[in-house]
Structure formats: C-alpha cells, structure tokens
Amino acid sequence: MAKIVEPLIFELSSPGRVGATLPELDVPPADIPAELCREDLPLPEVSEVDVVRHFVRLSRMNYGVDLGIYPLGSCTMKYNPKVNEVAARLPGFVYTHPYQPEDQVQGNLQLMWELQEMLKAISGFAGVSLQPAAGAHGELTGILIMRAYLHDQGETQRDTILIPDSAHGTNPASTAMAGFRVVEIKSDERGNVDLEHLKANLNDRVVGLMLTNPNTLGLFDEHVCEVSRLVHEAGGLMYGDGANMNAMLGIVKPADLGIDVMHFNLHKTFSTPHGGGGPGSGPVGVVEKLVPYLPGPIVDIQVVGEEEHAGHAHDDEEEMVEVFFRLVMPAKSIGRVKTFYGQFGVMIKAYTYIRMLGAEGMRRVAENAVINANYLMAKVKKVYPLPYDRLCKHEFVVEGKLKDAPDIHALDISKRLIDYGVHPPTNYFPLIVPEALMIEPTETESLESLDYFADALLRIAEEAKTNPELLHEAPHNTPVSRLDEVGAARNPILRWKPAE
Amino acid sequence: MVYVPNTDKDRAKMLAVIGVESVDDLFYDVPKELRYPQIELPEPVSEMEVLRELQEMSESNVDLLHTPSFLGAGAYYHFIPSVVDTIISRSEFYTAYTPYQPEVSQGTLQAAFEYQTMICMLTGMDVANASHYDGGTATAEAVIMAVAVGKGKRRRIVVSPRLHPEYVQVVRTYVQGMDIQVVGDENPHASLEDIAGLIDSNTAGVIVQVPDFFGTIEDYGALQALADKAHQAGALFIVVAYPISLGLLKPPAEYGADIVLGEGQSLGSPLSFGGPYLGFFACKEEYVRRMAGRLVGQTVDTQGRRGFVLTLSTREQHIRREKATSNICTNQGLNALAAAVYMSALGKQGLRKVAELCYHKAHYAARRIAEIPGYRLLSDKPFFNEFVVRCPKPATEINRYLYEEWGIVGGFEVGKVCPGLEDSLMFAVTEMNTRDEIDALVEALREVASNG
C-alpha cells in the first residue's frame, strides 16, 4: 500500500482548467431564459492529467481482492474473474436503453431469463425476480412477499418475525421497514436455533422466521428441517438469508430445507465485484405459492409457433419454433422495488460465472470454501478461543481475546494484520461473541495464502504478549494510522468547503 | 473453469490437518437425503466459448452505439469521457468491499467524500450521502426520512402526478407495511396549486420532479410557493432532479428544497439496460441523522493527518438493528466513484457546456418537429432537454416506422404510463444527438405523417 498524502480534488483546482472536451454546438442556439439559470457551479477546474493522477493515487491507498486475501466474514470476498468485466462491457449490452421495445433487446431478456432459470436450478425455487439491487433490498422484498401472501390468506393478525441472534444485522432492519416487529430467538450451546425458545415463541401472530444458514457463526443449523417444520406448522413462512449461499452451492438446495423465500447475493456467491460499497444485486427466489407475489417485471418466455405444430412431429419442428422473451408483472406482485429491471450489468457477470462453472463447478466452490475455512480454523484455534468448537462451513468466528494479553482487543489484532498485508476479518460481529473475529477465506485462496494468513495470526498472538504497543499502534505501513472515529461522529465534517 | 487453486494434493493435506477423512465428512450436518442434489445447469464452457455466446447474445440487441435514439424518461444516453472507465477499472477500486477498515480504504473513502461534496455543490444542499441504489429507491428513502422527521406522527405523502411513474410505484411498494398514505398522482393535469391543496397537517413530505417526468420546468416562483405551503404545514419539500440539468438550472436549494435526490446515471454511468445506476441524495444539515445510507466524514489519524471514515453509523443496521434508519447495507460505490470522476473531468465549465448542448439541441428538435403539420408540443412551458409531442398517429405506430424505415429508435410512448396520451411521444435529446440525427428524425416524422 502506497503511503501518499493526496489533496482533495478541490484543492487541485485552478480557474480555467478543463478535463474533458465536448463537441461544438451544431444547431442554432435557442434562448435560455435568465431566470432559469443558476449563478455559479462551484465544481473543481482540473485538467485530464490531474484527474487521472489524483484518482490513480487514491486507488493506491485502497486494498482490493486483486491485492491479496480479504477474509471479511459473511462478505464472501472471492476473486472476481476478469472475464466477467469483459462480458459486462460488451457494447451490445452496455448501450441498450431500458425503454427500448422488447423485440430490440431480446439478447438482454434472454440473458435475464436464463439467469432466472439457473438460480432456480441451484436453489430449488419455483420462481426468481432479479429486480432487487442488493442483499438487504432482497430481504425487504422477501418480507413484503410474505406479508402480501399472508394478507391474501386473511392472516392479517400476523405481525411478528422471529430472528435468531446469529442473523445478519440487516434482517431486523428489513423486518422493521416492512412494518413488523422482531422477536429474537436464542442460539443453543451448539450455535443452532434453540428449539425450545423457538417453540415458546411460535403462535398465530408469527409471520415467519428469518434464517441465515449457515449462520453468522459459520455453522449449519443441525435442526434446520425441524425449524422449518415448526414454523410451517404455526402457519408461518421461512425466509432464508442467502448471503452465506457460497457454502451450500451444489451441497443442498435451500428450497429442500423448507425455505420459502430467499435472496441471493450475486456480488458474494457469484463473483461479481463489490466496487468499494456496491453495486450489489439481490435477486429473490420463492416457492410455487409465492411466485405470483414476486416484484416485477420479470422475464417470461413465450414459445411462438408451438401450438400449430402440436401433434405433428416434423423433422424441422425445432427450427419452426421460435422463442420470444417478454417482461411481465406477476399477477399479485408486491410491485416494483426498483426503477427498471435491476442491476443488469451485475447480472451479466453472475451469468458468465455460472456458465463457466456449471453444476460440478458449483459443488467444487462450496467444498473448497468449506475446506479452506476449516483448515484455517484448525490452524488458529489453539491460540484464538473458538466459542463453538464444531466443524464450520465457509466461515468461522474466533474470539480476539488472548490469554496473557488482556489489553489486546479484536480491533488491535485486525489492525496489526494490515501490516502483514492481509485485510482484517469482520470485527465485533456477530454480537453474540465477545471480541468477535469473523473469518471467511473463500475458495479462491490457495494453501500457501491460507498458511501465510494463519502464520500472521499466530505471530500477532506472540507479539501481543511481547510487544502489545506494536498492536495498539498498528497499522504502521498505511497512508494513515488509526483514525479518530469518535471525533468524526461528534463533529461531523461531511463535505469540503472552500477556505473563507 | 473453476477459480479454485487447491489441488487434490493440497486438499488431502488440509483434510488431514482438519482431522476428517473425506470432504463429505465436512457436511455431516446437512441432512443426508438432501445432500448433493441434482442441479440442472448447462454444461460448463471455457472463457472463449462463453465470450462468444455472450457476444452473440449482446449483438442480437439493437444498441444505441449504432442506432440514433431519442429515448429518455429517466435514463439518458450521455457521453462518458474515457477517464471514467480508466479509473473505475482500477481493481483496487472495483474489487474492494464496503470500507469498514479505513486505513486500507482511504481511496474509496476520499473519493466518496469528494462525491458527497460535488453532489452538495450541484444541488445547493448542505450534506449528501455516499449513494442509494437508484432514483426510485432514493425517493422511497426520502419518504421514510420525511416520516421520521415528522416523528412518525405524519403519515401522508403528497406526490406530483408528474413524478416518474416508476418512482411512485417504488414508493408504494416500500411503504405498504408502514401505514403511509401516498396521494396526488390521481389527476395527471393537476397544477402545482392543486398539489398544494392536498397538503394538510398530517403531511410529512411533498415530492416534485424538476424538470418533471414530461420534461417541463415549472415556474420557480410557483415551486417556492409550494415549498412554503409544505413548510407552513410542517412538511418537507422534496425535489427529484436530473443532475445534468443542474449544470445550467437553478439548484433546488434556491426554491426551498429540504431534500434533493435523483437518478445519477447520467453522471458517468452507461445506460446498461437500466442498471446498475446511482441514487444521489442530499438534504439540509439538520436532517442528517435521519438520512439513510453510508456517510463518509473527515477526521484525523493519531499523527494529526487528514483521513476519512464511515461515520454517524449509529443510524445504521449493524448497530441499531430494527431501530436503524433503514436496512441499506450495500450502496452504489462504484457508480458514485464514476460520478465523482465524471464531475471532476467536466468540471465547472464542462458540465455547463453539456447542459447547454442538451438544451439547444432539444429546443432545435422541438421547434423543427412542431413545424411539421399534425405535430404539436403538449406544453408551452419551458423545458430542458425533453418534451412531449402529440402526433397525428398512435405513438407505437410512429416508433415502429421510425425504426423500420429510418433506423431510428424513437421517443418514449407516453400512453404506456398515461392513458389518453396514446398519440404522444416524449423525445429526449442529449449532446450525443447530432444535427444530422435530429434532421433525420424530423424528416421521418414528416414522412410517417403523410403516409396513409
């Protein structure tokens, strides 16, 4: 990581500089009424070279998957194949407008339809909408689908969603946005949903349960089918948080576990890069009875000419049958959750990835993600306490609290990892583990890379005892050292202002 | 191709360290009868093959690189300087996650801080967040914010009937569980005064779009009067703006906006069939703690050097869970970066020039089209770069003729969202449309009117 002090782009501004050329006006000018116009637009004035150097320098102050291991738990920061980028930049995709007539964008609609089908095949669901823009957006969508379905059944008294304490933080927030209240369900001593606590909270006010499985402890719920059965018996629905789908690819279909609705995180499981905060993409899959409630439009396939040929087997029949892809709104749709059809550019990347892996590749991804996580866990658990000592799935949580180093916290360990060239794990999450370090190596790390990371963690544990200041002051080799986050929140400076 | 470096030998070694005999043993907890299901996917292909297939699929589209187009209605074909793709293709940017660890994310954070500042400059507002998914979802978040500012006691939202119809649909979807009433879009001919008449003591927010969905710029005096009415009733005045127009037009802060948001796709993101786009969102400082989404703040490190962090995160879902301002976790970081690079490259003068090119070319097109017998402009109010034309034939028929006979992708068929206007086309003109293209459109419209 380059140590750079880079001014703000505004501080590079010099009156009269321009960074882009534009064509001359080739039509007669019209009058612009003065009362419509703004007086000043204080954007920076910089040259193209200034712009390029400024942002390239900023890029060198950033850590991405292409630089090294990024074991941020529950974020599934796997390598993003370069072919995805090439595919998403094909001009025939990029230069299409969402309001072009359907017959002009059959390629786009075909890709979306095929992606819907592939996600259905992987998950076992009956229908998929690609519209949600991110995982949490998919959660809100899924909860609204559950709400609409139950209302149609006359079950309007249902107002409660059960959420295990090992769930993602967005689950309760999405639930609240849909107008429901949250009841938290405890984990048992093995990290599963506590069945007794669940039973005690099931009644006719329950909309359903939101299950992250494997959960944020990296554990597959050993009673998942029982949990689903109990929730269904109480008249509720099962929501699956698909953020941890990477561990399930080709291993088990969520629909087979009794999940009724689930979102996929294309930017996690299907290798579409996260762009320093997004775009993501959070398609939602549902079982048959919920298909009419999906947000739309979704893509439907229409076979033209099929009827004419029914019962007349011709050799050339296949050639005479044509397909046409259409955008349709499901019959009882909850509505649109986003403008247009979703994150199309992200869909292209996920499609490319799935096409290149196929069914066998899906299974290999999950298997290797799980092998990598367990290997890493086995190597570090002697030193870092493991709250639930079970085989994990694609991630695991250790306590960043070391024997003989009482002053060292998870945050210190994380910051010191940066000096070893490793992106820190997720800190202080899940909330049920004190000083949590949530580690997810993903399947795209090699044995050598995992060994390097494990060795770094073990060496840091030694350093914690012999030289705790080294950890407290870490990181040492970054453009900035530890930042005053409390001060930032207490006295928010959220924009640049010119000196007066 | 599977992007897994582990060899069989590596795996054997790792399983031994883990202490299990086979990979299957790692899945002991997955119900056996459900394990390893059949998955019906197409056979995997190589990189070369998948690119060939995708190339073919993409080329079956009619793309606007090769076909003149006058489609707008919320997504616009603008020029993107080459520097934008150069920067967003830097993998340190695009392969990074949300910047939870600021010391290794200063690039993402500083760029977001610059983006926030530029959105404030463009809109005239005090603070902006680091982005929302798109214009539609940003509108829904503005509604939720307005209700929160009203402490949840005000449950009515007044929308202009000339707000993008898809935005209103997104709002309705979002609020269906929240006991919020959305009114105002029933009568498409309602004036700003009519909208003002809908504001009552239960109103949390009033939303207008400038220029509106049909391209019209309402009189700023009338907009200010509406803002005043909203404020008198204790409601927020929310403006949905087209960012390119703000290169030229008065910033909404000057006519009373409390929140300004919109679709930022035009700022450096390609059309890409509707996504990923960029929701920009700015507001007055006093409401910042009610604003959803990520915020980047400036601070100092232990040595007093300037640095940037995600801040005010007590509003967010990972801290406040069900009490959070919203459930937003992912935003549109890379699109926001593209917007920051775009606005930097064009700068003060460039954005104004783009806006002027759009304005002059659109006015030239509108004037020429209105001269053709049978066509007339729907409104005589000022417009920026988009306008509705009533045509002598159904809009669908005209569009089909434009494409089949002239190879032009025509305008947006207004009847699709506005029953009764099946004879109307909305044309958008940007700096991408040359005079030749506009002249060809005019000729084609003349021809289709006189044929049969």
Side-chain angles (χ1 to χ4, degrees), chain B residues 127-320:
Chain B
V127 289
N129 69 16
S131 76
H132 284 307
Y133 307 134
D134 67 1
T137 56
T139 311
E141 295 289 352
V143 165
I144 295 169
M145 181 169 152
V147 171
V149 167
K151 300 200 162 48
K153 291 182 186 127
R154 297 161 172 270
R155 314 300 292 188
R156 184 179 170 96
I157 296 292
V158 175
V159 299
S160 154
R162 290 174 299 279
L163 173 59
H164 197 300
E166 293 201 15
Y167 293 16
V168 185
Q169 290 166 22
V170 174
V171 168
R172 287 221 155 87
T173 305
Y174 264 61
V175 305
Q176 54 196 260
M178 294 183 194
D179 184 30
I180 292 172
Q181 190 195 4
V182 180
V183 299
D185 55 338
E186 306 83 10
N187 171 18
H189 306 293
S191 66
L192 289 184
E193 290 72 32
D194 296 335
I195 298 166
L198 297 172
I199 300 171
D200 62 13
S201 60
N202 191 30
T203 302
V206 179
I207 313 178
V208 297
Q209 186 170 340
V210 185
D212 67 24
F213 178 68
F214 302 107
T216 306
I217 306 170
E218 294 277 4
D219 176 71
Y220 292 133
L223 286 165
Q224 180 70 59
L226 183 61
D228 292 345
K229 182 80 196 293
H231 292 149
Q232 277 155 22
L236 298 190
F237 185 57
I238 301 163
V239 175
V240 177
Y242 172 23
I244 298 293
S245 76
L246 295 178
L248 180 66
L249 303 180
K250 262 197 207 321
E254 288 184 21
Y255 45 89
D258 299 294
I259 303 174
V260 182
L261 63 93
E263 177 50 71
Q265 170 265 328
S266 296
L267 304 170
S269 290
L271 281 170
S272 189
F273 200 50
Y277 282 4
L278 167 70
F280 70 86
F281 194 106
C283 68
K284 287 188 178 160
E285 194 153 21
E286 59 196 290
Y287 305 124
V288 67
R289 285 171 201 272
R290 301 283 189 185
M291 178 159 63
R294 303 282 189 215
L295 264 175
V296 175
Q298 182 182 312
T299 187
V300 289
D301 73 358
T302 49
Q303 296 166 49
R305 289 174 296 198
R306 178 167 66 188
F308 302 90
V309 292
L310 289 177
T311 194
L312 300 185
S313 26
T314 45
R315 304 166 300 126
E316 290 187 88
Q317 31 73 28
H318 56 273
I319 311 240
R320 298 248 296 164

Side-chain angles (χ1 to χ4, degrees), chain A residues 443-465:
Chain A
E443 75 282 2
T444 59
E445 294 308 316
S446 65
L447 178 59
E448 291 77 12
S449 156
L450 299 174
D451 282 341
Y452 178 82
F453 178 33
D455 288 347
L457 275 172
L458 300 178
R459 281 169 68 180
I460 290 169
E462 280 304 309
E463 289 171 352
K465 289 177 212 161

Side-chain angles (χ1 to χ4, degrees), chain A residues 31 38 62 82 94-97 99 104 108 136 174 251 253 276-277 336 339-340 355 415 481 484 493, chain B residues 36 38 53 61-62 64 75 94 96 101 103 108 134 166 169 173 246 272-273 298-299 302 327 331 359:
Chain A
D31 282 341
R38 69 187 301 154
N62 238 23
K82 297 304 155 196
V94 170
Y95 294 95
T96 51
H97 190 286
Y99 286 139
Q104 294 184 6
N108 292 347
S174 300
I251 305 296
K253 295 181 184 180
R336 266 176 199 284
T339 327
F340 311 119
R355 274 300 277 124
K415 297 302 183 193
S481 57
D484 180 6
I493 304 171
Chain B
Y36 296 124
Q38 183 77 16
E53 279 182 23
N61 292 324
V62 172
L64 307 188
Y94 80 78
Q101 297 288 340
E103 296 88 349
T108 293
D134 67 1
E166 293 201 15
Q169 290 166 22
T173 305
L246 295 178
S272 189
F273 200 50
Q298 182 182 312
T299 187
T302 49
N327 70 337
N331 61 4
Y359 183 93

